[in-house]
Amino acid sequence: MTYKLEFSALLPYWEDLAAGLWFTIVLTVLSTVVGIAVGTLGASARTFGPKWLAGLVRVYVELIRNTPFIVQLFFIFFGLPALGLKLSETTAAFLAMVINLGAYSTEIIRAGIEAVPKGHIEAGVSLAMSRLEVLRHIVLRQAFAKIYPALSSQIIIVMLGSAVVSQISAPDLTYAANFIQSRNFRAFEVYLVVALIYLVLAIVLRYVLRVIGDRFVKVG
Amino acid sequence: MSLVSIRDVRKSYGTVEVLKGVSLEVAKGDVVAIIGRSGSGKSTLLRCINGLETYQFGAILADGIEVGGIHANMRELRRHVGMVFQQFNLFPHLTAAENVMLAPTVVNKTPKKEARAIAAEVLAKVGLSEKMDAYPSQLSGGQQQRVAIARSLAMRPKVLLCDEITSALDPELVNEVLRVVEQLAKEGMTLILVTHEMRFARDVGTNLVFMHHGKVHETGKPKDVFAAPQTPELQQFVGGNG
Ligand SMILES: Nc1ncnc2c1ncn2[C@@H]1O[C@H](COP(=O)(O)OP(=O)(O)OP(=O)(O)O)[C@@H](O)[C@H]1O
Ligand SMILES: [Mg+2]
Protein backbone atom coordinates (compact mmCIF):
# COMPACT_ATOMS: atom_id res chain seq x y z
CA MET A 1 0.00 0.00 0.00
CA THR A 2 1.53 3.24 -1.06
CA TYR A 3 -0.24 6.49 -0.34
CA LYS A 4 1.76 9.56 -1.14
CA LEU A 5 1.12 12.43 1.25
CA GLU A 6 0.43 15.67 -0.55
CA PHE A 7 -0.01 18.43 2.02
CA SER A 8 0.59 21.00 -0.69
CA ALA A 9 -2.88 20.08 -1.96
CA LEU A 10 -4.24 22.10 0.96
CA LEU A 11 -2.40 25.27 0.15
CA PRO A 12 -4.91 26.72 -2.32
CA TYR A 13 -7.56 26.45 0.41
CA TRP A 14 -5.74 28.07 3.33
CA GLU A 15 -8.17 30.98 3.36
CA ASP A 16 -11.12 28.61 3.79
CA LEU A 17 -9.33 26.93 6.68
CA ALA A 18 -8.53 30.27 8.32
CA ALA A 19 -12.13 31.45 7.95
CA GLY A 20 -13.41 28.19 9.46
CA LEU A 21 -10.94 28.42 12.33
CA TRP A 22 -11.97 32.00 13.07
CA PHE A 23 -15.64 31.03 13.02
CA THR A 24 -15.00 28.19 15.48
CA ILE A 25 -13.08 30.50 17.82
CA VAL A 26 -15.69 33.26 17.78
CA LEU A 27 -18.55 30.77 18.16
CA THR A 28 -16.82 29.12 21.12
CA VAL A 29 -15.98 32.35 22.91
CA LEU A 30 -19.42 33.88 22.48
CA SER A 31 -21.36 30.76 23.41
CA THR A 32 -19.07 30.18 26.40
CA VAL A 33 -19.70 33.66 27.79
CA VAL A 34 -23.45 33.56 27.23
CA GLY A 35 -23.72 29.88 28.20
CA ILE A 36 -22.04 30.44 31.55
CA ALA A 37 -24.26 33.45 32.18
CA VAL A 38 -27.25 31.18 31.55
CA GLY A 39 -25.71 28.55 33.84
CA THR A 40 -25.15 31.10 36.61
CA LEU A 41 -28.76 32.27 36.43
CA GLY A 42 -29.97 28.68 36.22
CA ALA A 43 -27.94 27.54 39.21
CA SER A 44 -29.01 30.58 41.24
CA ALA A 45 -32.64 29.96 40.40
CA ARG A 46 -32.35 26.29 41.31
CA THR A 47 -30.83 26.99 44.70
CA PHE A 48 -32.36 30.32 45.74
CA GLY A 49 -35.32 30.81 43.42
CA PRO A 50 -39.00 30.08 43.99
CA LYS A 51 -40.07 26.44 43.73
CA TRP A 52 -41.77 26.73 40.34
CA LEU A 53 -38.71 28.35 38.78
CA ALA A 54 -36.33 25.83 40.32
CA GLY A 55 -38.53 23.07 38.89
CA LEU A 56 -38.54 24.66 35.45
CA VAL A 57 -34.74 24.92 35.44
CA ARG A 58 -34.51 21.31 36.50
CA VAL A 59 -36.63 20.18 33.57
CA TYR A 60 -34.46 22.22 31.19
CA VAL A 61 -31.25 20.73 32.58
CA GLU A 62 -32.48 17.14 32.44
CA LEU A 63 -33.89 17.61 28.93
CA ILE A 64 -30.57 18.85 27.58
CA ARG A 65 -28.30 16.50 29.50
CA ASN A 66 -30.20 13.44 28.37
CA THR A 67 -30.42 14.10 24.64
CA PRO A 68 -27.65 14.20 21.97
CA PHE A 69 -26.27 17.60 21.05
CA ILE A 70 -26.75 16.95 17.35
CA VAL A 71 -30.45 16.28 17.90
CA GLN A 72 -30.76 19.53 19.86
CA LEU A 73 -29.05 21.33 17.00
CA PHE A 74 -31.28 19.72 14.35
CA PHE A 75 -34.38 20.49 16.40
CA ILE A 76 -33.46 24.16 16.54
CA PHE A 77 -32.42 24.44 12.90
CA PHE A 78 -34.81 22.04 11.13
CA GLY A 79 -37.57 21.67 13.72
CA LEU A 80 -38.32 25.20 14.86
CA PRO A 81 -39.18 26.52 11.35
CA ALA A 82 -42.30 24.34 11.63
CA LEU A 83 -43.36 26.76 14.39
CA GLY A 84 -42.51 29.69 12.15
CA LEU A 85 -39.09 30.32 13.73
CA LYS A 86 -36.52 30.26 10.94
CA LEU A 87 -32.95 30.82 12.09
CA SER A 88 -29.74 31.20 10.09
CA GLU A 89 -27.12 28.43 10.39
CA THR A 90 -24.93 30.66 12.54
CA THR A 91 -27.70 31.75 14.88
CA ALA A 92 -28.95 28.19 15.25
CA ALA A 93 -25.43 26.95 16.00
CA PHE A 94 -24.88 29.69 18.57
CA LEU A 95 -28.24 29.07 20.22
CA ALA A 96 -27.74 25.32 20.41
CA MET A 97 -24.34 25.73 22.02
CA VAL A 98 -25.60 28.28 24.54
CA ILE A 99 -28.52 26.08 25.50
CA ASN A 100 -26.25 23.05 25.80
CA LEU A 101 -23.50 24.70 27.84
CA GLY A 102 -26.15 26.54 29.87
CA ALA A 103 -27.60 23.24 31.05
CA TYR A 104 -24.29 21.59 31.88
CA SER A 105 -22.89 24.66 33.61
CA THR A 106 -26.11 25.03 35.62
CA GLU A 107 -25.38 21.63 37.14
CA ILE A 108 -21.70 22.37 37.68
CA ILE A 109 -22.28 25.79 39.26
CA ARG A 110 -25.11 24.42 41.41
CA ALA A 111 -22.72 21.89 42.91
CA GLY A 112 -20.39 24.78 43.76
CA ILE A 113 -23.18 26.81 45.34
CA GLU A 114 -24.23 23.89 47.49
CA ALA A 115 -20.67 23.45 48.73
CA VAL A 116 -20.70 26.95 50.25
CA PRO A 117 -21.23 26.61 54.03
CA LYS A 118 -24.66 27.77 55.22
CA GLY A 119 -22.89 29.77 57.91
CA HIS A 120 -21.36 32.08 55.31
CA ILE A 121 -24.81 32.90 53.99
CA GLU A 122 -26.08 33.56 57.51
CA ALA A 123 -23.06 35.76 58.20
CA GLY A 124 -23.85 37.79 55.09
CA VAL A 125 -27.53 38.08 55.97
CA SER A 126 -26.59 39.12 59.51
CA LEU A 127 -24.50 41.91 58.04
CA ALA A 128 -27.71 43.30 56.51
CA MET A 129 -26.91 42.12 53.00
CA SER A 130 -29.85 41.19 50.78
CA ARG A 131 -30.17 37.69 49.36
CA LEU A 132 -29.01 38.91 45.97
CA GLU A 133 -25.98 40.65 47.47
CA VAL A 134 -25.09 37.53 49.44
CA LEU A 135 -25.43 35.45 46.29
CA ARG A 136 -23.26 37.75 44.24
CA HIS A 137 -20.50 38.69 46.69
CA ILE A 138 -20.26 35.61 48.86
CA VAL A 139 -21.86 32.54 47.33
CA LEU A 140 -21.04 32.78 43.62
CA ARG A 141 -17.47 33.95 44.21
CA GLN A 142 -16.77 30.87 46.33
CA ALA A 143 -18.79 28.56 44.09
CA PHE A 144 -16.83 29.57 40.97
CA ALA A 145 -13.51 29.07 42.73
CA LYS A 146 -14.58 25.56 43.69
CA ILE A 147 -15.92 24.44 40.32
CA TYR A 148 -13.59 26.32 37.98
CA PRO A 149 -11.65 23.21 36.90
CA ALA A 150 -14.86 21.32 36.08
CA LEU A 151 -16.22 24.33 34.23
CA SER A 152 -12.99 24.66 32.23
CA SER A 153 -13.22 21.03 31.12
CA GLN A 154 -16.82 21.60 30.05
CA ILE A 155 -15.79 24.60 27.95
CA ILE A 156 -13.18 22.48 26.14
CA ILE A 157 -15.81 19.82 25.52
CA VAL A 158 -18.13 22.44 24.07
CA MET A 159 -15.38 23.81 21.81
CA LEU A 160 -14.60 20.35 20.42
CA GLY A 161 -18.29 19.52 20.20
CA SER A 162 -18.86 22.63 18.11
CA ALA A 163 -17.61 20.59 15.12
CA VAL A 164 -21.13 19.20 14.95
CA VAL A 165 -22.52 22.54 13.74
CA SER A 166 -20.95 21.79 10.35
CA GLN A 167 -23.91 19.41 9.93
CA ILE A 168 -26.25 22.36 9.45
CA SER A 169 -23.65 24.07 7.22
CA ALA A 170 -22.53 26.59 9.79
CA PRO A 171 -19.15 27.56 8.30
CA ASP A 172 -16.84 26.35 11.05
CA LEU A 173 -13.47 24.59 10.87
CA THR A 174 -14.95 21.15 10.25
CA TYR A 175 -17.25 22.55 7.60
CA ALA A 176 -14.16 23.99 5.87
CA ALA A 177 -12.45 20.58 6.06
CA ASN A 178 -15.46 18.84 4.54
CA PHE A 179 -15.54 21.39 1.78
CA ILE A 180 -11.82 21.19 0.98
CA GLN A 181 -11.64 17.41 0.84
CA SER A 182 -14.66 17.33 -1.44
CA ARG A 183 -12.64 19.52 -3.81
CA ASN A 184 -9.14 18.06 -3.65
CA PHE A 185 -10.03 14.48 -2.58
CA ARG A 186 -7.26 14.57 0.02
CA ALA A 187 -9.33 13.46 3.02
CA PHE A 188 -6.36 12.01 4.89
CA GLU A 189 -4.27 15.19 4.76
CA VAL A 190 -7.21 17.52 5.33
CA TYR A 191 -8.57 15.79 8.39
CA LEU A 192 -5.09 15.20 9.80
CA VAL A 193 -4.33 18.89 9.59
CA VAL A 194 -7.73 19.88 10.99
CA ALA A 195 -7.35 17.41 13.85
CA LEU A 196 -4.02 19.02 14.70
CA ILE A 197 -5.62 22.47 14.58
CA TYR A 198 -8.30 21.32 17.05
CA LEU A 199 -5.60 19.86 19.25
CA VAL A 200 -3.66 23.13 19.33
CA LEU A 201 -6.89 25.05 19.87
CA ALA A 202 -7.73 22.87 22.88
CA ILE A 203 -4.26 23.30 24.38
CA VAL A 204 -4.35 27.06 23.90
CA LEU A 205 -7.87 27.29 25.33
CA ARG A 206 -6.85 25.28 28.36
CA TYR A 207 -3.93 27.63 28.90
CA VAL A 208 -6.06 30.75 28.51
CA LEU A 209 -8.61 29.37 30.96
CA ARG A 210 -5.87 28.67 33.47
CA VAL A 211 -4.53 32.20 33.21
CA ILE A 212 -8.03 33.63 33.64
CA GLY A 213 -8.55 31.33 36.61
CA ASP A 214 -5.33 32.34 38.34
CA ARG A 215 -6.08 35.97 37.77
CA PHE A 216 -9.77 36.22 38.65
CA VAL A 217 -11.11 33.13 40.35
CA LYS A 218 -8.65 32.52 43.15
CA VAL A 219 -9.64 31.94 46.76
CA GLY A 220 -7.42 33.12 49.61
CA MET B 1 -36.63 52.03 77.35
CA SER B 2 -35.31 48.64 76.31
CA LEU B 3 -33.06 48.32 73.31
CA VAL B 4 -34.21 44.74 72.85
CA SER B 5 -37.54 43.62 74.17
CA ILE B 6 -38.51 39.96 74.01
CA ARG B 7 -42.11 39.27 74.97
CA ASP B 8 -43.45 35.79 75.55
CA VAL B 9 -41.83 34.40 72.44
CA ARG B 10 -42.73 30.88 71.36
CA LYS B 11 -41.07 28.98 68.58
CA SER B 12 -41.53 25.46 67.29
CA TYR B 13 -39.69 23.33 64.79
CA GLY B 14 -42.53 21.25 63.42
CA THR B 15 -44.36 19.98 66.48
CA VAL B 16 -41.41 20.44 68.84
CA GLU B 17 -41.63 23.63 70.85
CA VAL B 18 -38.10 24.87 71.59
CA LEU B 19 -38.95 28.33 72.97
CA LYS B 20 -41.87 28.11 75.37
CA GLY B 21 -42.62 31.71 76.17
CA VAL B 22 -39.41 33.65 76.63
CA SER B 23 -39.45 37.20 77.92
CA LEU B 24 -36.37 39.37 78.34
CA GLU B 25 -35.62 43.09 78.46
CA VAL B 26 -32.20 44.34 77.42
CA ALA B 27 -31.30 47.97 78.05
CA LYS B 28 -28.59 49.97 76.34
CA GLY B 29 -25.18 49.03 77.73
CA ASP B 30 -26.36 45.76 79.22
CA VAL B 31 -24.14 42.71 78.89
CA VAL B 32 -26.50 39.78 79.01
CA ALA B 33 -24.91 36.37 79.46
CA ILE B 34 -27.14 33.46 78.52
CA ILE B 35 -26.19 30.10 79.93
CA GLY B 36 -27.90 26.73 79.89
CA ARG B 37 -27.69 23.14 78.85
CA SER B 38 -27.29 22.03 75.25
CA GLY B 39 -30.67 22.10 73.52
CA SER B 40 -32.24 24.56 75.96
CA GLY B 41 -32.89 27.03 73.12
CA LYS B 42 -30.09 29.58 73.59
CA SER B 43 -29.02 29.73 69.95
CA THR B 44 -32.60 29.69 68.75
CA LEU B 45 -33.42 32.70 70.92
CA LEU B 46 -30.41 34.62 69.65
CA ARG B 47 -31.22 33.79 66.04
CA CYS B 48 -34.79 35.01 66.52
CA ILE B 49 -33.52 38.41 67.60
CA ASN B 50 -31.96 39.22 64.21
CA GLY B 51 -34.53 37.29 62.23
CA LEU B 52 -32.40 34.35 61.13
CA GLU B 53 -35.22 32.26 62.58
CA THR B 54 -38.91 33.08 62.69
CA TYR B 55 -41.09 32.63 65.76
CA GLN B 56 -44.78 31.84 65.94
CA PHE B 57 -46.05 33.74 69.00
CA GLY B 58 -45.08 36.76 71.02
CA ALA B 59 -42.98 39.67 69.85
CA ILE B 60 -39.39 40.80 69.66
CA LEU B 61 -38.60 44.48 69.34
CA ALA B 62 -35.05 45.41 68.53
CA ASP B 63 -34.27 49.11 68.38
CA GLY B 64 -38.00 49.73 68.00
CA ILE B 65 -38.42 47.44 64.98
CA GLU B 66 -40.64 44.42 65.37
CA VAL B 67 -38.53 41.52 64.21
CA GLY B 68 -40.30 39.59 61.48
CA GLY B 69 -43.29 41.92 61.54
CA ILE B 70 -45.08 42.33 58.21
CA HIS B 71 -43.90 45.91 57.88
CA ALA B 72 -40.49 45.31 59.41
CA ASN B 73 -37.50 46.42 57.41
CA MET B 74 -35.23 43.51 58.25
CA ARG B 75 -32.29 45.07 56.41
CA GLU B 76 -32.54 48.16 58.56
CA LEU B 77 -32.88 45.98 61.65
CA ARG B 78 -29.80 43.95 60.86
CA ARG B 79 -27.72 47.07 60.36
CA HIS B 80 -28.24 47.70 64.06
CA VAL B 81 -28.08 44.12 65.31
CA GLY B 82 -24.76 42.43 64.65
CA MET B 83 -24.03 38.75 65.11
CA VAL B 84 -20.88 36.73 65.69
CA PHE B 85 -20.97 32.95 65.28
CA GLN B 86 -19.26 29.99 66.83
CA GLN B 87 -17.78 29.07 63.44
CA PHE B 88 -16.27 32.46 62.56
CA ASN B 89 -17.79 32.28 59.06
CA LEU B 90 -15.20 34.56 57.49
CA PHE B 91 -15.42 34.77 53.71
CA PRO B 92 -12.38 32.78 52.54
CA HIS B 93 -12.00 34.60 49.22
CA LEU B 94 -11.54 37.97 50.93
CA THR B 95 -8.72 39.33 53.11
CA ALA B 96 -9.38 40.40 56.69
CA ALA B 97 -9.81 44.01 55.57
CA GLU B 98 -12.05 43.01 52.65
CA ASN B 99 -14.19 40.87 54.95
CA VAL B 100 -14.72 43.94 57.11
CA MET B 101 -15.28 46.30 54.16
CA LEU B 102 -17.82 44.16 52.33
CA ALA B 103 -21.00 45.09 54.21
CA PRO B 104 -20.18 48.81 54.53
CA THR B 105 -19.49 49.10 50.79
CA VAL B 106 -22.35 46.88 49.62
CA VAL B 107 -25.05 47.77 52.16
CA ASN B 108 -24.19 51.30 53.21
CA LYS B 109 -22.59 52.29 49.89
CA THR B 110 -19.58 53.62 51.78
CA PRO B 111 -16.80 54.60 49.34
CA LYS B 112 -13.90 52.11 49.22
CA LYS B 113 -11.38 54.47 50.78
CA GLU B 114 -13.63 55.33 53.68
CA ALA B 115 -14.49 51.66 54.16
CA ARG B 116 -10.81 50.82 54.31
CA ALA B 117 -10.37 53.43 57.03
CA ILE B 118 -13.24 51.84 58.98
CA ALA B 119 -11.58 48.44 58.52
CA ALA B 120 -8.29 49.80 59.83
CA GLU B 121 -10.05 51.26 62.84
CA VAL B 122 -12.05 48.17 63.85
CA LEU B 123 -9.20 45.77 63.13
CA ALA B 124 -6.97 47.90 65.36
CA LYS B 125 -9.63 47.63 68.04
CA VAL B 126 -9.38 43.83 67.97
CA GLY B 127 -5.59 43.99 67.85
CA LEU B 128 -5.12 42.91 64.26
CA SER B 129 -3.74 45.98 62.51
CA GLU B 130 -0.90 43.96 60.97
CA LYS B 131 -3.27 41.34 59.55
CA MET B 132 -5.37 43.59 57.33
CA ASP B 133 -4.24 41.91 54.14
CA ALA B 134 -4.08 38.34 55.42
CA TYR B 135 -6.57 35.79 54.15
CA PRO B 136 -8.60 33.84 56.74
CA SER B 137 -6.64 30.67 55.95
CA GLN B 138 -3.50 32.46 57.12
CA LEU B 139 -4.97 33.33 60.52
CA SER B 140 -5.33 31.35 63.73
CA GLY B 141 -8.81 30.57 65.05
CA GLY B 142 -8.55 33.33 67.64
CA GLN B 143 -7.49 35.83 65.01
CA GLN B 144 -10.28 34.75 62.68
CA GLN B 145 -12.86 35.21 65.40
CA ARG B 146 -11.49 38.67 66.16
CA VAL B 147 -11.79 39.57 62.48
CA ALA B 148 -15.39 38.34 62.61
CA ILE B 149 -16.04 40.65 65.57
CA ALA B 150 -14.43 43.54 63.69
CA ARG B 151 -16.58 42.74 60.66
CA SER B 152 -19.71 43.14 62.77
CA LEU B 153 -18.44 46.30 64.42
CA ALA B 154 -17.86 47.92 61.02
CA MET B 155 -21.62 48.27 60.65
CA ARG B 156 -21.74 50.22 63.94
CA PRO B 157 -24.36 47.93 65.53
CA LYS B 158 -26.30 49.04 68.59
CA VAL B 159 -26.34 45.52 69.93
CA LEU B 160 -24.05 42.58 69.23
CA LEU B 161 -25.22 38.98 69.50
CA CYS B 162 -22.51 36.41 70.22
CA ASP B 163 -23.30 32.70 70.03
CA GLU B 164 -20.63 30.68 71.84
CA ILE B 165 -17.92 32.57 70.04
CA THR B 166 -15.08 30.83 71.90
CA SER B 167 -16.42 27.28 71.76
CA ALA B 168 -14.64 26.35 68.53
CA LEU B 169 -11.29 27.67 69.75
CA ASP B 170 -8.31 25.90 71.25
CA PRO B 171 -8.20 26.69 74.98
CA GLU B 172 -5.11 28.88 74.67
CA LEU B 173 -6.87 31.11 72.13
CA VAL B 174 -10.03 31.71 74.15
CA ASN B 175 -8.69 34.57 76.22
CA GLU B 176 -7.60 36.81 73.36
CA VAL B 177 -11.20 36.77 72.10
CA LEU B 178 -12.75 37.25 75.54
CA ARG B 179 -10.49 40.23 76.16
CA VAL B 180 -11.83 41.90 73.02
CA VAL B 181 -15.41 41.29 74.14
CA GLU B 182 -14.64 42.60 77.61
CA GLN B 183 -13.19 45.75 76.08
CA LEU B 184 -16.36 46.24 74.04
CA ALA B 185 -18.44 45.82 77.20
CA LYS B 186 -16.32 48.45 78.97
CA GLU B 187 -16.91 50.86 76.10
CA GLY B 188 -20.64 50.49 76.62
CA MET B 189 -21.57 48.17 73.75
CA THR B 190 -24.80 46.30 74.38
CA LEU B 191 -24.05 42.59 74.23
CA ILE B 192 -26.15 39.46 74.35
CA LEU B 193 -23.87 36.46 74.59
CA VAL B 194 -24.47 32.77 74.82
CA THR B 195 -21.47 31.36 76.61
CA HIS B 196 -20.07 28.42 78.50
CA GLU B 197 -17.39 30.60 80.10
CA MET B 198 -18.91 30.91 83.58
CA ARG B 199 -16.17 33.09 84.98
CA PHE B 200 -16.51 35.49 82.07
CA ALA B 201 -20.29 35.56 82.53
CA ARG B 202 -19.84 36.42 86.19
CA ASP B 203 -17.11 39.02 85.78
CA VAL B 204 -18.24 40.83 82.65
CA GLY B 205 -22.00 40.24 82.54
CA THR B 206 -24.46 42.75 83.95
CA ASN B 207 -27.33 40.27 83.68
CA LEU B 208 -27.35 36.53 83.76
CA VAL B 209 -30.03 34.43 82.09
CA PHE B 210 -30.27 30.72 82.75
CA MET B 211 -32.31 28.95 80.09
CA HIS B 212 -33.86 25.59 80.72
CA HIS B 213 -36.24 23.64 78.46
CA GLY B 214 -37.01 26.66 76.27
CA LYS B 215 -37.70 29.07 79.10
CA VAL B 216 -35.87 31.68 81.12
CA HIS B 217 -35.57 29.58 84.25
CA GLU B 218 -33.68 32.00 86.44
CA THR B 219 -32.27 35.47 85.96
CA GLY B 220 -30.55 38.19 87.96
CA LYS B 221 -27.23 39.88 88.64
CA PRO B 222 -24.48 37.37 87.74
CA LYS B 223 -22.74 37.65 91.12
CA ASP B 224 -25.96 37.03 93.06
CA VAL B 225 -27.12 34.23 90.81
CA PHE B 226 -23.81 32.41 90.95
CA ALA B 227 -23.43 32.96 94.70
CA ALA B 228 -26.90 31.73 95.51
CA PRO B 229 -28.72 29.98 92.68
CA GLN B 230 -32.40 29.68 93.57
CA THR B 231 -33.61 26.77 91.45
CA PRO B 232 -32.34 23.21 91.79
CA GLU B 233 -31.71 23.11 88.02
CA LEU B 234 -29.33 26.05 88.14
CA GLN B 235 -27.70 24.74 91.29
CA GLN B 236 -27.02 21.51 89.48
CA PHE B 237 -25.88 23.30 86.31
CA VAL B 238 -23.50 25.61 88.13
CA GLY B 239 -22.23 22.75 90.26
CA GLY B 240 -21.62 20.61 87.22
CA ASN B 241 -19.76 23.40 85.45
CA GLY B 242 -17.47 24.17 88.39
N1 LIG C 1 -33.24 23.73 62.36
C1 LIG C 1 -33.74 22.97 63.35
N2 LIG C 1 -34.70 22.06 63.09
C2 LIG C 1 -35.21 21.29 64.07
N3 LIG C 1 -34.87 21.38 65.35
C3 LIG C 1 -33.93 22.27 65.68
C4 LIG C 1 -33.32 23.11 64.71
N4 LIG C 1 -32.41 23.91 65.33
C5 LIG C 1 -32.46 23.57 66.63
N5 LIG C 1 -33.37 22.59 66.85
C6 LIG C 1 -33.71 22.01 68.15
O1 LIG C 1 -34.12 23.05 69.00
C7 LIG C 1 -33.62 22.84 70.30
C8 LIG C 1 -32.88 24.04 70.78
O2 LIG C 1 -31.71 24.20 69.97
P1 LIG C 1 -30.65 25.35 70.21
O3 LIG C 1 -29.65 25.23 69.15
O4 LIG C 1 -31.34 26.64 70.36
O5 LIG C 1 -30.02 24.94 71.61
P2 LIG C 1 -28.79 25.55 72.35
O6 LIG C 1 -29.27 25.92 73.71
O7 LIG C 1 -28.16 26.61 71.55
O8 LIG C 1 -27.83 24.29 72.46
P3 LIG C 1 -26.24 24.22 72.35
O9 LIG C 1 -25.69 24.58 73.68
O10 LIG C 1 -25.98 22.78 72.01
O11 LIG C 1 -25.81 25.13 71.27
C9 LIG C 1 -32.79 21.57 70.27
O12 LIG C 1 -33.55 20.51 70.78
C10 LIG C 1 -32.50 21.39 68.82
O13 LIG C 1 -32.41 20.01 68.52
MG1 LIG D 1 -26.31 26.79 70.51
Side-chain angles (χ1 to χ4, degrees), chain A residues 119-120 122-130 133 137-138 141-142 218-220, chain B residues 47 50 52 75 78-79 85 89-93 103 106-107 135 137 151 155:
Chain A
H120 293 191
E122 292 188 342
V125 169
S126 297
L127 287 165
M129 294 171 74
S130 68
E133 289 163 351
H137 296 282
I138 299 167
R141 286 292 305 271
Q142 290 190 60
K218 66 176 167 83
V219 155
Chain B
R47 293 162 59 82
N50 76 342
L52 280 183
R75 193 171 162 92
R78 290 186 182 118
R79 286 176 57 190
F85 301 83
N89 290 331
L90 291 185
F91 310 130
H93 59 293
V106 170
V107 178
Y135 282 94
S137 59
R151 185 174 66 181
M155 292 298 278

Side-chain angles (χ1 to χ4, degrees), chain A residues 46-96:
Chain A
R46 265 211 68 176
T47 42
F48 288 92
K51 258 209 172 78
W52 63 267
L53 188 60
L56 215 62
V57 171
R58 201 184 157 137
V59 169
Y60 155 62
V61 168
E62 292 309 317
L63 216 59
I64 297 304
R65 292 208 311 165
N66 294 296
T67 51
F69 177 57
I70 193 166
V71 174
Q72 295 161 16
L73 181 70
F74 282 178
F75 180 80
I76 290 171
F77 187 67
F78 298 118
L80 287 186
L83 304 178
L85 193 61
K86 178 107 188 65
L87 302 169
S88 74
E89 297 84 359
T90 303
T91 312
F94 171 71
L95 206 61

